Amino acid sequence: MADPLTIASGICAAGALLSTWQLRRRAVHAEAEIGLLQAELAAERHAASHDPLTGLPNRRAFYRLATTLLTDAAGRPLIAVVLDLDDFKQINDRYGHAAGDQVLVSVAERFAAFAGDNLVARLGGDEFAGLLTTPTVDGRWIEHATRRLCETLAAPIPLGGFSLRVTASVGLAPVTGPTQLTEALDHADAAMYRAKSLGPARTRRQLVESAPLAD
């Protein structure tokens, strides 16, 4: 006949093992729940700060990130860029909104590739903005950069069985200090609209806005 103490000890040991297993199972489940919640929170934060179509930062995120970049610029020259597609409504009307969305995605990808590690964003509709570090704010350099950007955006965009060329009106303006972002964007925006008003007769619908630089 088995010793009652031995039986009791065995029961206690089995109970302890069961309790340990249950605790580990609960811990694993809790970790999985925390991981899921963290992933959902990260997704919500990303969705709140990024454009769902192009994946670029949205308007709110652009101003927040740009302010941080200007604070940390350490004296590096910065250029504000604003671009708006020409006659974009006609693309939607003629080819449909799916084609229009593909054009916006292509423009976003090309603008981001042109900007490299710099900040670019979709402000809304067919309007985009960027904050670019530059080796200089010399007008000649800005003119050259603007030409390259316009040519990059004007390359054919494949849309199923055909390709489409779009042009963009572009405005640039130097940012003279951490507190001058809004002013620089206003200068760039005004330059962009002046470029747009020139009409399709101009090969490159862009204009450089040269704001006075701070000493």
Side-chain angles (χ1 to χ4, degrees):
M1 184 173 179
D3 183 1
L5 291 176
T6 303
I7 294 174
S9 297
I11 292 173
C12 288
L17 287 172
L18 179 61
S19 296
T20 301
W21 178 79
Q22 288 176 333
L23 288 172
R24 291 176 107 184
R25 185 179 180 186
R26 289 172 185 168
V28 170
H29 181 70
E31 288 179 1
E33 286 290 329
I34 292 173
L36 181 61
L37 289 173
Q38 289 176 336
E40 290 177 350
L41 180 60
E44 288 176 2
R45 286 176 175 171
H46 186 274
S49 61
H50 288 74
D51 171 52
L53 177 63
T54 64
L56 293 180
N58 58 22
R59 179 183 292 270
R60 181 187 300 177
F62 172 76
Y63 280 94
R64 175 171 51 82
L65 294 171
T67 300
T68 301
L69 289 172
L70 285 167
T71 302
D72 299 335
R76 291 172 298 173
L78 291 166
I79 296 290
V81 182
V82 174
L83 69 88
D84 187 273
L85 300 185
D86 299 321
D87 303 318
F88 179 70
K89 184 178 182 299
Q90 293 185 13
I91 297 174
N92 284 329
D93 292 344
R94 183 172 180 180
Y95 302 104
H97 288 279
D101 286 349
Q102 183 56 52
V103 167
L104 291 173
V105 170
S106 296
V107 168
E109 291 174 347
R110 292 175 181 184
F111 190 19
F114 174 85
D117 294 332
N118 293 292
L119 172 64
V120 296
R122 182 188 179 196
L123 301 186
D126 58 323
E127 185 178 11
F128 298 81
L131 186 64
L132 313 182
T133 57
T134 66
T136 177
V137 290
D138 174 76
R140 207 176 286 178
W141 186 93
I142 295 176
E143 174 71 18
H144 174 70
T146 306
R147 184 184 304 111
R148 287 198 302 110
L149 175 56
C150 289
E151 290 172 352
T152 297
L153 298 176
I157 297 174
L159 295 173
F162 65 99
S163 62
L164 186 66
R165 288 181 181 270
V166 297
T167 60
S169 298
V170 178
L172 290 86
V175 185
T176 57
T179 62
Q180 303 302 315
L181 176 63
T182 300
E183 182 180 346
L185 287 169
D186 287 344
H187 279 293
D189 197 58
M192 182 270 293
Y193 275 106
R194 287 202 300 274
K196 192 175 288 289
S197 71
L198 296 175
R202 181 168 180 170
T203 304
R204 286 178 293 102
R205 299 175 67 170
Q206 53 78 24
L207 195 66
V208 175
E209 174 74 16
S210 296
L213 300 179
D215 294 332

